[in-house]
Amino acid sequence: MKEYQTATVPDAPETPPARKIIHIDMDAFYASVEQRDNPELRGKPVAVGGSTGRGVVAAASYEARQFGVRSAMPSVTAKRRCPELIFVRARFDVYRAVSNQIRAIFRDYTDLVEPLSLDEAYLDVTRCRKLPTATAIAEEIRARINEATGLTASAGVSYNKFIAKIASDQNKPDGICVVTPKQGAAFVARLPVRRFHGVGPATEAKMQRLGIETGADLAAQSLEFLAAHFGKSAGYFHGAARGIDNRAVRPNRERKSLGAERTYFEDLHDRDAMIARLEEIADTVWERAEKSQSFGRTVTLKLRYADFDTPTRARSLDRPVASRDELLATGIALLDTLIPDERGVRLLGLTMSGFGEPEIAVDSEDEAAQLGLAF
């Protein structure tokens, strides 16, 4: 396991109330599992996903990433960038089993574990007394993951979720980055705005038009200015730019919905063609549901006609959706309530909701601040 590095940023004069938050992110998880289980794939560019037609890369090994191959990239594009790319089919049952091994390790240190997907999670170790510092806890967790699974993980250690997640990506693969409360504001100040959660290409372009390129530029803006240009996101941007994020680590974080939709260049008129497209969408939604282990009770179909009229139809079950086929069948039943229609269909979407997980209360910031924190 390679030497870890810690963040080296100047101290800031003010420190926000501190917790000890670790973000663990497995390195190229799906692809690394495949390379672990098949020695012939080690050291080679590997992509997990479909290799033909409209296949999409679900994960790419670091060897493949050197060629610009990324997750969510169309497989044909990935193959063009890396002609030697080896495609393997996803084995979600194996990934789930490995994920369960990893989560069992997490719970040896804290009950406050918030999984984001099979391969990453937040841990609040503020009250953990197994080791003296959060850094030592993160190092031990990474070592135990490697020993138990043969895989590597990267970690970000900080006083809030926003910075911990960004830090976990700083020294990948197989690295660790520590950002203390005194370092937080300076660490965020030099980040490009695209690293902020919620800043996609459109928001980044808008910020750049406003002269906002970095965290420091964002911190220079008033809350009123941000509200005028970014609406409800203003408060989040205002706090994050100053290294502030008071969100709790929620062991049973409630997911509101999970879905996918597609817009078509040519309007669809034939029912069979619509069902074929709905099958592709159901595949995507179910893959995301399996990855996050989130299965809702309510299925919603979204449809947009050629004149941009956009009705939705929903159906709720008395239990979570059991399979991809049940998701698709429910979607087709809802589709049949909206077609045939002479206008033609330009967009289809499927969403699952009604996950029904209770939220768990956690310790307050004031309580955490009194515990004598060391990073």
Side-chain angles (χ1 to χ4, degrees), residues 15 38 59 153 280 357:
T15 58
N38 184 352
E280 297 166 357
E357 297 177 352

Side-chain angles (χ1 to χ4, degrees), residues 87-107:
F87 283 91
V88 295
R89 295 186 64 84
R91 300 182 298 154
F92 284 103
D93 56 336
V94 176
Y95 309 149
R96 279 193 296 271
V98 177
S99 179
N100 288 336
Q101 283 183 277
I102 295 166
R103 291 181 187 179
I105 293 172
F106 294 161
R107 291 189 174 90

Side-chain angles (χ1 to χ4, degrees), residues 21-24 138 154-158 163-165 167-169 175-178:
I21 308 297
I22 301 171
H23 180 258
I24 298 286
S154 295
V157 182
S158 197
I163 296 179
K165 184 170 174 62
S168 69
D169 197 45
I176 183 169
C177 176
V178 180

Side-chain angles (χ1 to χ4, degrees), residues 283-295:
D283 286 342
T284 299
V285 174
W286 195 251
E287 180 178 308
R288 292 173 180 172
E290 288 195 313
K291 181 177 180 180
S292 63
Q293 286 294 283
S294 300
F295 304 96

Side-chain angles (χ1 to χ4, degrees), residues 219-279:
Q221 311 306 319
S222 68
L223 182 59
E224 292 74 19
F225 176 89
L226 294 175
H229 291 281
F230 301 103
K232 294 181 179 179
S233 298
Y236 160 71
F237 288 143
H238 188 265
R242 291 159 174 77
I244 299 169
D245 176 13
N246 294 325
R247 291 175 301 158
V249 172
R250 298 185 180 278
N252 293 312
R253 182 172 59 102
E254 182 179 1
R255 179 182 287 277
K256 294 182 179 180
S257 65
L258 184 154
E261 62 183 45
R262 300 287 184 271
T263 300
Y264 305 104
F265 292 111
E266 296 184 2
D267 296 338
L268 305 175
H269 293 273
D270 181 71
R271 179 178 182 272
D272 289 341
M274 294 180 199
I275 291 175
R277 302 300 187 274
L278 212 56
E279 288 178 349

Side-chain angles (χ1 to χ4, degrees), residues 50-57 73-76 262 264 276-277 280 284:
S51 60
T52 60
R54 299 188 179 184
V56 174
V57 174
M73 176 180 288
S75 297
V76 291
R262 300 287 184 271
Y264 305 104
R277 302 300 187 274
E280 297 166 357
T284 299

